[in-house]
Amino acid sequence: MTIRLYDTSARQIRDFTPLRPGCVSIYLCGATVQAAPHIGHIRSGLNFDIMRRWFEYRGLEVTFIRNVTDIDDKIIAKSAEQGRPWWAIGYENERAFSEGYRALGCLPPTYEPRATGHIPEMIEMMRGLIERGHAYEADGNVYFAVTSFPDYLQLSNQELDNLLQPSGEGETGKRDPRDFAMWKAAKPGEPSWETPWGRGRPGWHLECSAMAHKYLGSAFDIHGGGLDLIFPHHENEIAQAKAYGDEFARYWVHNAWVTMSGEKMSKSLGNSVLVSEMVKRWRPIVLRYYLGTPHYRSMIEYSEEALREAESAFARIEGFVQRAVELAGGPVEPADEVPPAFAEAMDDDLGVPQALAVVHTTVRQGNNALAADDKEAAVARLAEIRAMLGVLGLDPLDPHWAGEGDRGQDLHGVVDTLVRMVLDQREAARARKDWPTADAIRDQLNQSGLIIEDSPQGPRWSLGPR
């Protein structure tokens, strides 16, 4: 068994060899909590949740760090706009992110550190970089001198002579316009912390370098995030950490975006789709299927039609699971191992689309077994499907999804009673060979959004795709 991952820094797929045998350490750049999350934000957490689940299936112990950036230029700007404390905005949106991750079935991280809780670690890193000649203080700001680090820009593969470094207001005293801020001098009315160089607040890049060092040490396996973070964020993280003396991340893994009309989904473009609204309109497990089943390095073009297709595809899987459980007469535990073709796909750079094809093939085999009333084969396929869906976080029998309430699950018993009454009328019509009436009842139920299936155990109903 060899897991292979696309390493952005190497620009190729590499065999994954953990730093410590049997263990995997992952740092994922998490939320900047200036606003509630849209589905593009949550995609990153979901992709790395699948990665984590696959490592754990392969028997590896995973330490998964996903940080929270709770102090940032955008958060401060929102505070001024809304006349609310910066920390109140941050905490409100941090809770919204946590609920979004939970709703879509992401496992909680091992640790989820906040930037503002790690100011001492940031001060210590800046002090070390200044002592080594890689950083300097100017006007209360602390800057990283990019020309002091020969390997700068290797991740993003840029030329230093052509570099345009994003800069913020008040970044004065730079020796080179390409240098970036690790610490920003305090401005009136803004949050600040005391340092040997005066009061101020951390820069975005410094936060992650310091937190990764604290929780994962000087070297760890995988650093992850969205493609948009390669430069400047991840490039600047590498410079700080390695100049400080850390080996830092050994693999860099980046997920692609969710786009609308070909553009990256973002609040600034006004095209975001908030998770809190989406889960009111779509079952969270369907959203997970939609966001999690394309390859993590492939763009997802958002559309209502694509979501309906995902809903229909998952309904086919879920329908088999429900019918097979009925035939089995009770719960069937997941198989101990997934099918070899599924494992091969997942080992090859988390090939979820190819792995999902194995799921759908197994569903077809299971449906054929149901049609043949072959209980043994149907139950065996169900066990395999549950094992595969468990890796993807999509097992409808998992307790997390069993409590789904967004489609009126609390009313299921009432609806079932009413539908059974109508189905009894249909059965009575069939018994007296009144086929037009029986067909009319079935058609009316179908038009209402219900799927009616006749089985050896009698008619059953399920919600169809919208």
Side-chain angles (χ1 to χ4, degrees):
M1 177 272 292
T2 301
I3 296 174
R4 306 176 74 231
L5 295 172
Y6 184 85
D7 180 3
T8 305
S9 61
R11 295 172 185 82
Q12 64 180 350
I13 294 177
R14 296 173 55 202
D15 289 352
F16 175 74
T17 304
L19 190 65
R20 292 174 52 213
C23 299
V24 181
S25 47
I26 303 172
Y27 185 94
L28 173 64
C29 283
T32 298
V33 287
Q34 89 271 12
H38 56 62
I39 58 174
H41 292 131
I42 297 297
R43 182 191 182 185
S44 181
L46 202 160
N47 287 153
F48 283 88
D49 181 67
I50 293 173
M51 173 191 283
R52 173 192 186 170
R53 288 170 183 264
W54 184 244
F55 279 132
E56 289 180 345
Y57 170 82
R58 282 304 198 189
L60 297 161
E61 180 182 344
V62 179
T63 300
F64 181 56
I65 311 300
R66 186 183 66 214
N67 76 291
V68 175
T69 297
D70 61 341
I71 186 69
D72 173 83
D73 290 347
K74 295 176 182 178
I75 296 171
I76 293 171
K78 285 285 178 70
S79 174
E81 290 171 10
Q82 299 177 14
R84 299 173 60 206
W86 62 272
W87 45 263
I89 292 172
Y91 184 60
E92 175 182 88
N93 292 313
E94 181 183 338
R95 291 175 61 188
F97 269 88
S98 295
E99 177 55 27
Y101 291 130
R102 189 210 63 78
L104 269 64
C106 294
L107 300 172
T110 310
Y111 306 108
E112 192 167 25
R114 295 190 185 103
T116 54
H118 298 79
I119 302 299
E121 289 82 0
M122 298 178 205
I123 292 172
E124 181 61 31
M125 183 166 279
M126 285 189 288
R127 181 182 288 113
L129 288 169
I130 289 173
E131 290 172 354
R132 291 169 174 81
H134 293 291
Y136 58 93
E137 182 273 337
D139 301 335
N141 301 295
V142 178
Y143 298 108
F144 186 92
V146 298
T147 56
S148 73
F149 184 66
D151 291 337
Y152 190 59
L153 299 180
Q154 283 196 357
L155 180 69
S156 56
N157 199 28
Q158 298 184 74
E159 294 291 336
L160 186 60
D161 291 343
N162 301 325
L163 178 66
L164 295 174
Q165 187 79 254
S167 294
E169 183 183 349
E171 294 185 11
T172 61
K174 284 186 179 182
R175 298 174 184 172
D176 186 318
R178 297 168 297 189
D179 295 345
F180 62 87
M182 295 192 294
W183 191 262
K184 302 185 179 186
K187 297 177 188 174
E190 288 189 353
S192 63
W193 289 261
E194 189 62 62
T195 76
W197 313 283
R199 294 192 66 84
R201 59 184 175 86
W204 178 29
H205 319 305
L206 177 65
E207 297 172 349
C208 284
S209 294
M211 287 187 284
H213 179 89
K214 178 176 178 67
Y215 292 94
L216 297 176
S218 61
F220 58 96
D221 291 308
I222 296 169
H223 196 311
L227 283 173
D228 52 322
L229 300 183
I230 294 174
F231 182 84
H233 186 47
H234 288 167
E235 196 73 76
N236 292 350
E237 276 189 68
I238 292 170
Q240 293 165 155
K242 291 196 171 184
Y244 184 67
D246 288 355
E247 182 184 341
F248 210 50
R250 300 170 70 243
Y251 298 81
W252 287 85
V253 178
H254 293 92
N255 64 276
W257 303 327
V258 179
T259 60
M260 293 181 72
S261 302
E263 294 186 89
K264 175 179 175 285
M265 185 174 287
S266 68
K267 294 182 178 67
S268 62
L269 291 175
N271 63 4
S272 60
V273 184
L274 296 181
V275 176
S276 58
E277 294 302 313
M278 293 291 285
V279 296
K280 295 175 184 176
R281 299 167 48 215
W282 302 91
R283 296 173 61 202
I285 197 169
V286 169
L287 283 176
R288 182 178 177 102
Y289 185 97
Y290 170 68
L291 293 171
T293 53
H295 194 272
Y296 74 90
R297 289 193 287 121
S298 299
M299 297 292 180
I300 299 175
E301 174 68 13
Y302 171 80
S303 71
E304 293 280 317
E305 180 183 0
L307 262 164
R308 284 192 291 270
E309 290 174 357
E311 184 179 50
S312 296
F314 185 72
R316 290 193 291 272
I317 298 172
E318 193 172 33
F320 166 74
V321 170
Q322 292 171 346
R323 291 190 296 273
V325 168
E326 289 179 12
L327 180 62
V332 173
E333 291 300 311
D336 292 335
E337 295 184 3
V338 298
F342 181 95
E344 182 180 352
M346 293 298 292
D347 282 340
D348 187 11
D349 195 29
L350 303 176
V352 174
Q354 294 78 14
L356 192 65
V358 180
V359 173
H360 282 287
T361 296
T362 310
V363 166
R364 287 193 292 273
Q365 294 169 349
N367 282 328
N368 291 337
L370 288 175
D373 203 22
D374 186 343
K375 180 177 178 179
E376 182 179 354
V379 168
R381 300 295 80 74
L382 174 60
E384 292 173 348
I385 288 166
R386 287 203 65 193
M388 292 186 282
L389 294 179
V391 166
L392 302 177
L394 288 168
D395 181 1
L397 302 181
D398 184 276
H400 176 83
W401 302 117
E404 251 189 15
D406 58 297
R407 292 189 80 186
Q409 296 297 313
D410 291 342
L411 295 176
H412 186 278
V414 176
V415 174
D416 183 64
T417 300
L418 295 173
V419 174
R420 292 292 172 191
M421 291 171 60
V422 177
L423 289 176
D424 287 344
Q425 295 176 23
R426 177 172 175 259
E427 288 301 292
R430 285 161 59 94
R432 63 177 182 265
K433 301 188 185 304
D434 185 356
W435 309 119
T437 299
D439 291 345
I441 292 173
R442 182 198 59 207
D443 293 343
Q444 287 178 341
L445 289 172
N446 287 341
Q447 290 172 11
S448 72
L450 300 177
I451 295 176
I452 306 303
E453 297 176 275
D454 294 309
S455 73
Q457 292 77 35
R460 56 170 156 255
W461 66 275
S462 62
L463 287 174
R466 66 196 70 200

